[in-house]
Amino acid sequence: MEDCLFCKIAAKQMPAKIVHEDADTLAFEDINPQAPTHVLVIPKKHIPTLNDVAPEDAASMGHLFATAALLARRGGFAERGWRVVVNVNRDAHQLVFHVHLHLLAGRAFHWPPG
Ligand code: 5GP
Ligand code: ZN
């Protein structure tokens, strides 16, 4: 996926502040943070949106959430609270078409979201 920004980050062809990596998953700091902690957690496999998740991606998707929880414990904000956001397509302002969890923490969040 040569035109995909997050594939390039996963392939180390673009720099990023990586906070976690394993065989299937990469987590790195968002370049425009919306909270004191704002990390993007991605599958290394190119999947454009949640609409495109196939049954065989289920374990990988579960691993994204497990990675977010690992980072929450490691960051010391698991008990206080944190948020995961996944934007899908235009109405949700998805800008990068490679599935990513936004892991947000370090402040209180509004509910319902805007
Ligand atoms: P989306 O709107 O697609 O859900 O979120 C895309 C996110 O990627 C945004 O929060 C944006 O700040 C972040 N982003 C865009 N370009 C880059 C980049 O080159 N590096 C990093 N680390 N984050 C990026
Ligand atoms: Zn990609």
Side-chain angles (χ1 to χ4, degrees), residues 1-8 10 42-48 96-99:
M1 296 301 153
E2 57 195 35
D3 289 332
C4 174
L5 175 63
F6 287 176
C7 280
K8 285 182 180 156
I42 68 165
K44 289 184 173 176
K45 176 183 173 184
H46 181 79
I47 303 172
V96 177
F97 287 85
H98 179 129
V99 163

Side-chain angles (χ1 to χ4, degrees), residues 5-6 28-32 87 93-96 100 102:
L5 175 63
F6 287 176
F28 53 93
E29 293 180 9
D30 196 291
I31 205 167
N32 183 24
N87 298 320
H93 299 277
Q94 184 177 4
L95 295 176
V96 177
H100 49 283
H102 293 261

Side-chain angles (χ1 to χ4, degrees), residues 10 20-27 41-47 57 59-61 63-64 67 98:
H20 175 85
E21 180 170 16
D22 59 42
D24 301 324
T25 303
L26 190 72
V41 188
I42 68 165
K44 289 184 173 176
K45 176 183 173 184
H46 181 79
I47 303 172
D57 299 320
S60 170
M61 291 297 107
H63 189 58
L64 288 191
T67 300
H98 179 129

